[in-house]
Amino acid sequence: MSTTQPTRLAQPTRLAPNLIEHFYRGGDRIASLRGIEQQSEFQPEEWLGATVSRADQEPGGAIGLARTVDGVLLRDLVAADPAQWTGAGPDHGTDAADTGILVKLLDARQRLPVHVHPDRAFAASHLDCSYGKTEAWFILDAEPGSAVHLGWSEDVDPDELDRRRDAQDSEWMLSHMNRIVVQRGMGILVPAGTAHAIDGGIFLAEVQEPTDLSILLEWSVTTSTRDESHLGLGFETVMGAVSTQALPQSEIEHLVVLHDLDARTDAPVSLLPADADPYFQLFAVAPGTDGSAPVDAGFSVALALTGAGALVSETGAEAVEFSAGEVFAVPAGFGRWTVSGSGTVLAAGPGAGWPATLASGGIR
Ligand SMILES: O=P(O)(O)OC[C@H]1O[C@](O)(CO)[C@@H](O)[C@@H]1O
């Protein structure tokens, strides 16, 4: 009789809750979706499937890192077998645990400060980092009339911006920004370099490059300080990463899309503008009565938004059941997969062509 064990095919791993203490209030809608208790009113974010950690801690700190429900760091699982998890070859970057994305739930009960993230060129030259922090928001819920503030509505003079930042003149900054009233189902791309803020009342899923690099122009509405607001580079240097040019309506049209989140569809639907594709991708998988075409193979973070069902692979790996509020890290080795049942699953993955695009450049 043979004693050979059958090889276990790769399956999605259920992730434990991973709330983050932050400098702004919120988090109750995360707790309600995830079926957990909020420990403080300053837990407005959950980092989903994160293999990068929060910046404001000792080097090597674990805050931010996702764990499986058994307490194992996802970072360690990916680093031990990058080919199985991300499909990447051994030489794709310096960090074997790199998945190419960071996904968050963000539930703002107060307005986020006006802030900006660097692009790849700035991060490489000043911060020894190959990623910048282009990000995108997918709106899950919004109080009526709540808005995001995206880019300047007219060119601003860099010296005046310095003065207004030093004076913490929130009113001036906000009144010089584009205000976009949001609604459930809206996808918004925020290119690196673009000043932005998010009103209280907005609950969103965020997909971004896997870094924690922020420049706060407006620290006074948070528990942060001026000294914590310039990435340790000083404002004189860091303002080089901040665009002072207007973001015109003609460009905003390419940065905002709307999707009916209640629709059932026969294929995964992209929830973000096409310009997001080189950075990250976010799909809704909500099959109709005839099922749905599969999501491509690759690392993804899957969030069960509503209903119940199973993640079903074409590889023959055992399906994994889910119910609303659960989060999974899906390995590339699970192959192409789809959803059975009544649920709606959001699936976030790295940009098209990742990780080759990291080395080939051409992305801001
Ligand atoms: O990057 P920081 O300083 O944590 O900023 C607060 C939040 O604002 C965002 O950049 C959204 O605008 C989040 O990614 C981030 O967690």
Side-chain angles (χ1 to χ4, degrees):
M1 194 169 73
S2 162
T3 55
T4 315
Q5 297 287 320
T7 313
R8 203 158 159 265
L9 297 168
Q11 279 181 295
T13 299
R14 194 173 274 105
L15 297 175
N18 187 28
L19 297 178
I20 302 293
E21 294 284 332
H22 217 304
F23 57 47
Y24 63 101
R25 273 191 201 80
D28 55 287
R29 284 171 291 190
I30 298 176
S32 148
L33 173 64
R34 298 280 276 135
I36 54 177
E37 296 248 325
Q38 219 182 337
Q39 305 299 322
S40 92
E41 57 174 334
F42 284 93
Q43 287 181 320
E45 297 186 4
E46 181 178 5
W47 287 23
L48 309 180
T51 61
V52 292
S53 52
R54 270 293 275 164
D56 59 351
Q57 59 184 320
E58 294 301 309
I63 299 173
L65 296 179
R67 291 180 188 270
T68 68
V69 286
D70 301 322
V72 179
L73 284 174
L74 178 64
R75 183 182 169 79
D76 291 346
L77 294 176
V78 177
D81 196 351
Q84 186 69 282
W85 275 96
T86 66
D91 56 353
H92 78 286
T94 50
D95 182 1
D98 184 10
T99 62
I101 48 162
L102 175 56
V103 184
K104 298 174 182 171
L105 288 172
L106 200 152
D107 178 18
R109 286 299 183 188
Q110 69 171 80
R111 181 175 62 74
L112 268 75
V114 178
H115 67 286
V116 185
H117 308 294
D119 66 12
R120 290 189 182 184
F122 188 92
S125 61
H126 294 85
L127 300 158
D128 191 26
C129 182
S130 8
Y131 292 103
K133 195 183 155 203
T134 286
E135 64 189 32
W137 307 320
F138 182 70
I139 309 293
L140 299 173
D141 186 36
E143 285 172 11
S146 52
V148 295
H149 309 261
L150 187 65
W152 307 114
S153 52
E154 57 190 84
D155 289 351
V156 295
D157 174 55
D159 294 333
E160 174 149 36
L161 179 57
D162 285 348
R163 283 195 300 277
R164 301 290 182 169
R165 178 204 66 219
D166 288 347
Q168 288 296 278
D169 191 341
S170 306
E171 207 182 307
W172 183 89
M173 288 190 246
L174 290 173
S175 68
H176 285 74
M177 295 176 78
N178 299 298
R179 184 172 186 274
I180 301 169
V181 174
V182 297
Q183 58 177 287
R184 178 176 152 88
M186 215 176 233
I188 301 153
L189 177 63
V190 185
T194 309
H196 57 277
I198 297 171
D199 274 355
I202 296 176
F203 179 32
L204 56 87
E206 182 178 66
V207 191
Q208 54 167 94
E209 292 183 81
T211 67
D212 194 22
L213 304 172
S214 285
I215 302 152
L216 298 193
L217 300 181
E218 196 198 10
W219 55 88
S220 55
V221 297
T222 74
T223 57
S224 250
T225 62
R226 180 189 167 98
D227 273 356
E228 293 164 337
S229 300
H230 48 63
L231 294 173
L233 297 173
F235 273 115
E236 211 177 303
T237 302
V238 94
M239 291 305 279
V242 177
S243 171
T244 53
Q245 286 179 347
L247 181 68
Q249 280 306 321
S250 55
E251 274 181 49
I252 291 178
E253 278 162 26
H254 295 285
L255 299 178
V256 181
V257 291
L258 186 61
H259 169 75
D260 175 6
L261 203 43
D262 299 320
R264 311 303 300 177
T265 58
D266 56 9
V269 175
S270 172
L271 300 177
L272 300 177
D275 287 356
D277 282 357
Y279 298 95
F280 31 68
Q281 308 187 67
L282 180 67
F283 294 99
V285 194
T289 41
D290 295 335
S292 164
V295 177
D296 285 340
F299 176 81
S300 60
V301 175
L303 164 68
L305 209 52
T306 58
L311 308 180
V312 184
S313 164
E314 289 185 347
T315 63
E318 204 181 319
V320 174
E321 294 192 349
F322 68 80
S323 53
E326 289 188 304
V327 176
F328 299 84
V330 183
F334 194 52
R336 300 201 311 168
W337 59 275
T338 189
V339 169
S340 71
S342 65
T344 295
V345 172
L346 299 189
W354 180 89
T357 45
L358 254 188
S360 58
I363 298 180
R364 266 197 72 225

